[in-house]
Amino acid sequence: MTVDYNSVKFQNIVENIKEICYNISVAKEKYRKSDEIVKIMAVTKTVEPDIVNIAVNEGITLLGENRVQEYLSKKDFYDKRADVHFIGHLQTNKVKYIINDVSVIQSVDSFKLAQEINKQALKNNKVMDILVEINIGGEISKSGIDKLQVIDLVEQISQLENIKIKGLMTIPPPMCSENVFDEMHSIFLDVKNRKISNVKMDILSMGMSGDYETAIKHGSNLVRIGTKLFGARNYMEVT
C-alpha cells in the first residue's frame, strides 16, 4: 500500500496528531511541571504499516504492538526510526519471537513470564527492559497483576539478571473515577520510593484515547493512543 500524502486519510492523521499534542500540552501546563516529558505511543493494532509510517514521519516514533503474529507480519515495513514496545498479553512461548525486535515489554504480569523473558534475553546476550502490568480495576477480562501483589512481583523479578524493571503499566476501567488513576500513581510512587535494586521507576504507562488527559493529570508520562490517532478500526482476529 502506498500512502497518498494529499489524501484525506493522511490529512486526518496529521490533524489528529496536532490535536493530541495540543491537548497534552494543555494538560501538562495545568497539572505538571514544565520540564516533565509525556511521550505519545501510537497503538498500531490492525493499522497498515504505511499508515503507521505517517505517524512516525510526523514525529510519533514510539509504537505499541499488541499481538505477536501481527507484529511479525508488519515489522519489516515500519520506518526504521520507529521504537517498538510490546503492550499486549504475551504468552511465554512467543517471547523468543520478539526478544530482539522490541525495546520494552510493557505487559509483564507474572514471574513465569518474567523468567522466560530473562531466559531469552540471556540467550541473546541482552538485558530486556520491562514494565510490570497492574490490573488496577480488578477486571476479570483484563490481564495484569492484582494491585496487592505488585511489590512481591517486583521484588521477585528484580532478582533476574537479564531483566530491568523500568516502570509500571495499566489499563484503567472505562469511565472509571479519577481515584483509580490516583491510586495507580500512588502505587508507582510507592515502588519508586522503596529503591529496590534493579528497579528504576522511569515510566508510568497509563492513559489511552478516551482518558489520556486524566492520566497525565495523575502522573502518567507515556500515553497509548490508537483510535484518536488512526480513527476507529475493525479489529481483525490475529494472535
Side-chain angles (χ1 to χ4, degrees):
M1 177 181 177
T2 301
V3 176
D4 178 1
Y5 289 91
N6 294 312
S7 69
V8 172
K9 183 71 174 178
F10 172 77
Q11 295 301 327
N12 284 344
I13 292 174
V14 171
E15 289 304 312
N16 290 345
I17 291 172
K18 289 179 181 177
E19 181 181 350
I20 292 164
C21 289
Y22 174 77
N23 290 341
I24 288 175
S25 68
V26 170
K28 281 183 59 182
E29 187 173 344
K30 289 174 67 175
Y31 305 121
R32 306 288 286 275
K33 295 178 182 178
S34 59
D35 61 344
E36 291 185 89
I37 296 172
V38 176
K39 292 186 177 181
I40 303 169
M41 169 181 282
V43 177
T44 58
K45 183 165 64 175
T46 78
V47 183
E48 293 292 334
D50 284 349
I51 300 299
V52 174
N53 288 340
I54 295 173
V56 176
N57 194 57
E58 293 298 310
I60 310 300
T61 57
L62 183 59
L63 309 181
E65 287 287 332
N66 289 81
R67 295 165 174 173
V68 172
Q69 184 176 319
E70 181 184 353
Y71 172 54
L72 295 177
S73 72
K74 293 160 61 175
K75 65 173 185 165
D76 292 338
F77 302 99
Y78 281 155
D79 188 307
K80 300 307 179 186
R81 292 171 291 180
D83 175 20
V84 181
H85 291 196
F86 192 83
I87 62 173
H89 179 66
L90 181 60
Q91 296 173 313
T92 55
N93 64 347
K94 293 187 177 180
V95 173
K96 61 187 175 183
Y97 297 117
I98 64 168
I99 194 71
N100 285 315
D101 292 309
V102 302
S103 62
V104 179
I105 297 174
Q106 292 201 13
S107 48
V108 178
D109 60 358
S110 72
F111 188 57
K112 180 182 177 182
L113 176 57
Q115 286 178 305
E116 182 62 24
I117 294 170
N118 187 71
K119 174 184 173 182
Q120 295 299 330
L122 178 61
K123 280 185 177 181
N124 289 275
N125 193 32
K126 66 182 297 183
V127 175
M128 190 73 219
D129 289 342
I130 69 162
L131 306 186
V132 172
E133 182 180 5
I134 299 175
N135 187 342
I136 192 63
E139 298 172 276
I140 297 174
S141 62
K142 289 181 181 174
S143 56
I145 191 167
D146 184 276
K147 59 189 177 184
L148 298 178
Q149 300 176 318
V150 173
I151 300 301
D152 286 344
L153 181 59
V154 168
E155 289 180 340
Q156 277 187 299
I157 295 175
S158 72
Q159 303 301 311
L160 301 174
E161 294 184 357
N162 288 77
I163 282 182
K164 181 77 173 179
I165 297 176
K166 301 288 285 185
L168 305 177
M169 185 268 263
T170 195
I171 305 173
M175 308 301 291
C176 66
S177 73
E178 289 195 29
N179 291 338
V180 175
F181 292 86
D182 191 51
E183 182 178 23
M184 184 65 200
H185 187 221
S186 295
I187 293 170
F188 176 80
L189 293 177
D190 181 29
V191 177
K192 186 174 186 175
N193 292 334
R194 289 172 185 261
K195 300 186 185 301
I196 302 168
S197 179
N198 199 33
V199 176
K200 193 172 184 181
M201 289 287 109
D202 291 334
I203 302 171
L204 177 54
S205 176
M206 177 172 70
M208 300 186 293
S209 291
D211 56 19
Y212 65 94
E213 292 156 287
T214 302
I216 292 168
K217 178 180 178 180
H218 293 282
S220 174
N221 57 17
L222 193 162
V223 294
R224 309 181 304 271
I225 312 294
T227 301
K228 284 287 186 182
L229 178 55
F230 296 114
R233 289 160 282 171
N234 295 318
Y235 291 120
M236 58 188 176
E237 289 297 324
V238 292
T239 58

